[in-house]
Amino acid sequence: MRIIIKALIIGFCFSIIAFIFLLDEHEQEELLEEIPIVGEGNHSVDEYEHHEANEEDETERENEQAEPEEVVSNIEEETDEQKNSYHYFLGKGESELLAAYGDPVRKDQTPYGYEWYVWNEGDLHFQAGIEDGKVVTLYTNEPASETSPFEIGSPFEKVAEEWELAESVSFTNGYNSYEFNLSKDEVETRPLVELEEGWAQLYFDTFDETLSSVRYLDKETLLKHQPYNLVYRGSLPEQSELSPEEWEEVERGMARQVFDLTNTIRERHNLPLLEWDDETAHVAFFHSKDMQENNYFSHTSPSQGELRDRLQAEEIQFRMAAENIAAKYSDAAAAVEGWLNSEGHRVNLLNDEFTHIGVGVYRDFYTQNFLIPW
């Protein structure tokens, strides 16, 4: 009898130790599709492209034997240097961020519990996520931005020499343990780097082979985004369900972010900025909504037809038009970087003839409509 009891206890212990969750639902695919330029003649739609969306060397400081005055001086100098980077504000209070940069141009809701504070005027082009009065994430794709220790425009090879771009990244949070597993493609396009404070997600332009944008996140926010395949033991941060009204706010914000980030990319390629067009944005939104609600991913709607049909139904006059669509991306920034790294989408993003754009987002479906109006 004692032998049986011991066997049961041992088996129970091993079952607890082996209690590891594999996050299957994040093996969804990020989807991208572009439509060729639409003019007066007929147009064709290419087959959509897809790839899996399963979106440390920490240097120890040497112990120095120094006079107290020298130690204080070193700390002050380091802090001054850190304040020249957005990364410095990760984990800091909202008031400190606003004291440095002033009030944001607008505030956008997100499905992750934080609110995007958006600066998109003058020399400031970045977003800071604020939750409970604290900075939990920051993002920018502006070359002149304060992104130290990284620099937008840096060659991939240079970044890879200075930082470990690993296919497996693991960490603990309390009694919980997590491991993100990146594909080779993800390491080359959006690797994850551990910093002394938080994490950096680096987005690379694979055509130019340079750093395109930087996202800083704390642990909780990284786990909420779950940008890569994740294996974990313990629990994940809770995320609240959004009401339809809250989703509308999120979608409006993401549409404007796609617009902002698209124009920043065009500006760094010395292209004219696009103007926002409300009527075209209306068409784009309802195509995103149509795809999500009717479970398809295509430029051709079963009920509303192709881009030309949808624009003409709203009596939008145009000489030339094109469309990018995407799905299953975690947010606007991720979708725009996905388009940038796909040849057909990139052609539309960087077309120097387009003058206007309308963007529509519904849940995690994204549509960009570019055009030259009559």
Side-chain angles (χ1 to χ4, degrees):
M1 179 61 72
R2 290 181 179 177
I3 293 174
I4 294 174
I5 292 173
K6 287 182 179 179
L8 290 172
I9 292 172
I10 292 171
F12 178 71
C13 291
F14 275 109
S15 68
I16 292 176
I17 293 171
F19 189 53
I20 298 176
F21 299 90
L22 177 60
L23 198 64
D24 289 326
E25 62 267 27
H26 284 85
E27 293 179 359
Q28 301 180 60
E29 292 178 339
E30 289 169 349
L31 303 176
L32 293 171
E33 188 171 354
E34 82 282 352
I35 191 168
I37 295 170
V38 179
E40 292 302 307
N42 294 327
H43 68 276
S44 61
V45 178
D46 292 340
E47 292 296 320
Y48 68 79
E49 303 172 14
H50 62 85
H51 61 275
E52 293 184 359
N54 297 307
E55 270 231 275
E56 66 198 75
D57 273 56
E58 183 176 348
T59 304
E60 297 182 356
R61 298 174 183 169
E62 297 180 356
N63 294 325
E64 297 180 349
Q65 300 297 324
E67 293 295 328
E69 292 81 7
E70 293 178 349
V71 173
V72 172
S73 175
N74 286 339
I75 292 174
E76 290 176 349
E77 290 174 3
E78 182 181 29
T79 300
D80 289 340
E81 182 179 352
Q82 288 175 335
K83 284 186 177 180
N84 292 326
S85 172
Y86 295 142
H87 173 240
Y88 165 80
F89 294 94
L90 188 64
K92 299 293 192 297
E94 170 190 4
S95 59
E96 188 170 352
L97 179 75
L98 298 182
Y101 298 108
D103 292 333
V105 174
R106 68 172 191 271
K107 299 178 182 179
D108 296 339
Q109 298 299 318
T110 76
Y112 300 109
Y114 60 84
E115 190 175 29
W116 275 128
Y117 285 26
V118 179
W119 286 263
N120 63 355
E121 294 179 347
D123 295 331
L124 292 179
H125 290 267
F126 76 101
Q127 303 173 189
I130 308 294
E131 183 174 8
D132 298 329
K134 187 178 73 170
V135 180
V136 298
T137 182
L138 303 103
Y139 174 85
T140 184
N141 69 344
E142 167 60 50
S145 290
E146 301 164 352
T147 54
S148 176
F150 308 101
E151 182 179 354
I152 291 177
S154 295
F156 177 87
E157 288 186 1
K158 181 176 184 293
V159 177
E161 287 175 0
E162 297 175 353
W163 299 87
E164 181 183 5
L165 308 182
E167 293 186 3
S168 178
V169 178
S170 60
F171 61 93
T172 60
N173 192 18
Y175 294 106
N176 304 313
S177 61
Y178 307 92
E179 180 179 286
F180 284 111
N181 294 304
L182 287 69
S183 67
K184 185 176 183 295
D185 176 70
E186 288 168 337
V187 171
E188 294 175 350
T189 58
R190 49 188 181 99
L192 185 65
V193 175
E194 184 176 9
L195 304 173
E196 289 186 9
E197 179 66 37
W199 299 81
Q201 196 175 15
L202 308 178
Y203 293 89
F204 285 93
D205 181 333
T206 57
F207 288 82
D208 293 342
E209 297 185 346
T210 57
L211 184 61
S212 175
S213 63
V214 179
R215 187 199 301 264
Y216 297 109
L217 316 90
D218 63 14
K219 286 182 180 179
E220 292 284 317
T221 307
L222 176 61
L223 290 170
K224 287 178 181 179
H225 276 239
Q226 296 170 24
Y228 316 99
N229 278 335
L230 173 64
V231 178
Y232 70 100
R233 179 167 54 197
S235 61
L236 291 170
E238 292 185 4
Q239 301 200 54
S240 58
E241 292 290 329
L242 300 185
S243 67
E245 294 74 22
E246 289 171 327
W247 266 116
E248 287 180 8
E249 290 187 38
V250 170
E251 291 156 0
R252 282 195 296 270
M254 285 202 289
R256 297 301 297 191
Q257 290 160 38
V258 169
F259 172 69
D260 292 341
L261 299 175
T262 296
N263 266 339
T264 302
I265 290 172
R266 289 177 65 87
E267 184 174 24
R268 74 190 192 207
H269 284 84
N270 300 313
L271 297 172
L273 302 186
L274 300 170
E275 294 183 29
W276 179 269
D277 187 87
D278 280 329
E279 292 182 342
T280 306
H282 177 81
V283 171
F285 171 78
F286 279 100
H287 187 58
S288 292
K289 188 172 188 287
D290 187 31
M291 288 191 293
Q292 197 274 345
E293 291 185 339
N294 293 292
N295 195 31
Y296 75 93
F297 183 73
S298 172
H299 296 287
T300 304
S301 165
S303 59
Q304 304 301 317
E306 298 181 353
L307 174 60
R308 179 194 301 279
D309 303 317
R310 288 180 268 121
L311 291 172
Q312 291 177 345
E314 296 297 322
E315 299 183 351
I316 297 175
Q317 303 298 316
F318 63 95
R319 288 196 296 113
M320 188 166 71
E323 180 174 80
N324 287 344
I325 59 176
K328 307 303 180 184
Y329 282 87
S330 60
D331 65 5
V336 172
E337 289 294 339
W339 283 325
L340 186 64
N341 278 331
S342 174
E343 186 172 3
H345 306 89
R346 185 185 183 90
V347 167
N348 291 337
L349 280 171
L350 302 181
N351 188 309
D352 61 359
E353 295 186 70
F354 288 126
T355 58
H356 292 70
I357 187 174
V359 181
V361 180
Y362 185 79
R363 301 303 191 264
D364 56 357
F365 281 70
Y366 307 79
T367 301
Q368 282 183 314
N369 288 341
F370 306 85
L371 63 132
I372 303 175
W374 278 111

